[in-house]
Amino acid sequence: MNVFLAQLLNGLDKGGAYALIALGLTLVFGTLGVVNFAHGALFMLGCFCAVTFRYLITLETVTIDPEKLSPWGSPVEVRTPLVQNWFGDFGAVLVDYSVPISILLAIPAMLIIGIAMERGLIKHFYKRSHAEQILVTFGLAIVLQEIVRSFFGANPVPQPIPSDLRGAADIGVWFGMAAHTLTYPWWRLIYLLFSAVVIGGVFAFLQFTTFGMVVRAGMADRETVGLMGIDIDRRFTIVFGLAAVVAGVAGVMYTPLLAPNYHLGMDFLVLSFVVVVVGGMGSLPGAVAAGFLLGILQSFASMTEVKSLIPGIDQVIIYLVAVVILLVRPRGLMGRRGIMEN
């Protein structure tokens, strides 16, 4: 039972990342009709927003302490982050919590990047075929990937978990089990909660705001909304920026779990597209449901007992599920009728 619960938590945690990326992809496809193969690169850029923020706040001042000598008799250099010199203990907290605080940098940065992408490139391919959209956005993803590699190098850049959030939570006690029966890392629990909050926030924004209602109407019938005098194009540009922000903040919070590297976006891109296809192209609830479902399936498939019966199943389970879903229900679990059924 404990193993089952642990694998379920692993699956929900992994599914949260899949769902966040797929949510942005589906938002773009549902509103703009664009298959955006650069969306994984936006996740990667979000990761490097966290890297950049930590680099900036850990810039150091170097002073010489004449009272401390090295083994060779020379004065010792004392390195202190600038923010710690300026703000004292609060500066030390900023350095320690650099990952979650870097969301404040990632939100405006990813919004600007998303709007620039849509206005500068994507809008010229609205009426082009999906094949052309895939080619141009895949090319853009490669360009972004190489730009990141030129600035940050090819090696992963690990990001630390805040010191207060390291270690594991004794989840078993919460459910009346004996102490230390079921433990789970704090940061993974926080990422799962963060995913749920972001997903809920996006759905609430689309469901309960005037802006969101116009966007949903535009997804259903763009021409009619345009005839009512509403500038739907401007709203869709903002939606593209919103999708970029969702991908970016998902990347920021994932950095302590997987060290950022320049090809991280490509690693998540294929998985996220599989999630979108399984959930149903253009279906936001489908993308979220499929993200968590596939995350859980992949988690259970990675168990030693399962891999001993079917070697390598954890590497292909997501694709096997996608094949079965597309054969039985081509539009996906919650896709709109007529999409991908011809």
Side-chain angles (χ1 to χ4, degrees), residues 169-337:
D170 195 350
I171 299 178
V173 174
W174 303 351
F175 296 98
M177 301 179 184
H180 309 299
T181 302
L182 177 62
T183 60
Y184 200 71
W186 274 111
W187 190 260
R188 290 187 176 275
L189 286 174
I190 289 171
Y191 191 84
L192 177 57
L193 178 62
F194 172 80
S195 301
V197 169
V198 173
I199 291 168
V202 171
F203 275 92
F205 174 74
L206 294 175
Q207 188 70 31
F208 301 114
T209 67
T210 303
F211 185 99
M213 286 188 282
V214 171
V215 169
R216 286 188 290 114
M219 292 172 69
D221 192 339
R222 182 171 182 166
E223 289 186 4
T224 300
V225 173
L227 291 172
M228 294 174 66
I230 297 173
D231 186 358
I232 195 66
D233 288 339
R234 182 174 64 86
R235 293 175 185 263
F236 281 179
T237 298
I238 297 174
V239 167
F240 196 98
L242 174 63
V245 168
V246 171
V249 297
V252 167
M253 294 294 283
Y254 208 75
T255 52
L257 303 178
L258 184 63
N261 58 68
Y262 73 97
H263 57 76
L264 186 64
M266 290 298 182
D267 296 340
F268 274 87
L269 174 66
V270 176
L271 290 172
S272 59
F273 261 98
V274 172
V275 171
V276 169
V277 170
V278 169
M281 296 291 283
S283 171
L284 296 176
V288 173
F292 283 108
L293 172 64
L294 294 179
I296 292 170
L297 289 175
Q298 191 177 42
S299 176
F300 280 105
S302 65
M303 295 174 65
T304 304
E305 296 83 357
V306 176
K307 290 194 291 185
S308 64
L309 292 174
I310 312 175
I313 186 63
D314 57 317
Q315 302 296 320
V316 298
I317 182 66
I318 286 180
Y319 307 104
L320 290 177
V321 171
V323 169
V324 172
I325 293 293
L326 290 177
L327 287 174
V328 175
R329 190 179 174 87
R331 67 175 180 265
L333 295 174
M334 300 182 185
R336 289 175 291 181
R337 185 176 299 276

Side-chain angles (χ1 to χ4, degrees), residues 64-206:
I64 303 297
D65 188 345
E67 296 182 0
K68 295 181 180 180
L69 301 179
S70 69
W72 297 274
S74 58
V76 173
E77 289 185 349
V78 178
R79 296 177 177 272
T80 308
L82 282 172
V83 292
Q84 198 165 337
N85 279 337
W86 295 340
F87 303 111
D89 291 341
F90 180 69
V93 172
L94 288 177
V95 172
D96 190 27
Y97 281 80
S98 63
V99 170
I101 294 174
S102 62
I103 289 178
L104 300 177
L105 169 66
I107 290 175
M110 296 307 302
L111 182 63
I112 292 169
I113 290 171
I115 292 175
M117 282 177 57
E118 195 276 338
R119 289 289 86 189
L121 181 65
I122 304 299
K123 72 172 185 177
H124 301 293
F125 288 85
Y126 285 163
K127 297 182 180 180
R128 303 285 189 91
S129 67
H130 289 327
E132 290 178 292
Q133 293 171 357
I134 290 171
L135 285 173
V136 72
T137 53
F138 187 75
L140 177 61
I142 293 174
V143 170
L144 293 173
Q145 177 177 290
E146 293 304 311
I147 290 173
V148 168
R149 186 173 71 162
S150 68
F151 278 98
F152 296 95
N155 296 323
V157 188
Q159 298 298 293
I161 296 173
S163 56
D164 293 335
L165 301 175
R166 294 169 190 168
D170 195 350
I171 299 178
V173 174
W174 303 351
F175 296 98
M177 301 179 184
H180 309 299
T181 302
L182 177 62
T183 60
Y184 200 71
W186 274 111
W187 190 260
R188 290 187 176 275
L189 286 174
I190 289 171
Y191 191 84
L192 177 57
L193 178 62
F194 172 80
S195 301
V197 169
V198 173
I199 291 168
V202 171
F203 275 92
F205 174 74
L206 294 175

Side-chain angles (χ1 to χ4, degrees), residues 11-84:
L12 290 173
D13 165 47
K14 190 175 295 185
Y18 295 162
L20 282 177
I21 303 174
L23 185 65
L25 268 173
T26 304
L27 201 56
V28 170
F29 181 80
T31 54
L32 306 177
V34 173
V35 182
N36 180 19
F37 257 60
H39 199 73
L42 295 174
F43 179 83
M44 179 266 296
L45 289 176
C47 293
F48 279 95
C49 281
V51 173
T52 302
F53 181 77
R54 183 167 182 83
Y55 172 78
L56 292 175
I57 67 170
T58 53
L59 290 173
E60 298 173 324
T61 57
V62 180
T63 57
I64 303 297
D65 188 345
E67 296 182 0
K68 295 181 180 180
L69 301 179
S70 69
W72 297 274
S74 58
V76 173
E77 289 185 349
V78 178
R79 296 177 177 272
T80 308
L82 282 172
V83 292
Q84 198 165 337

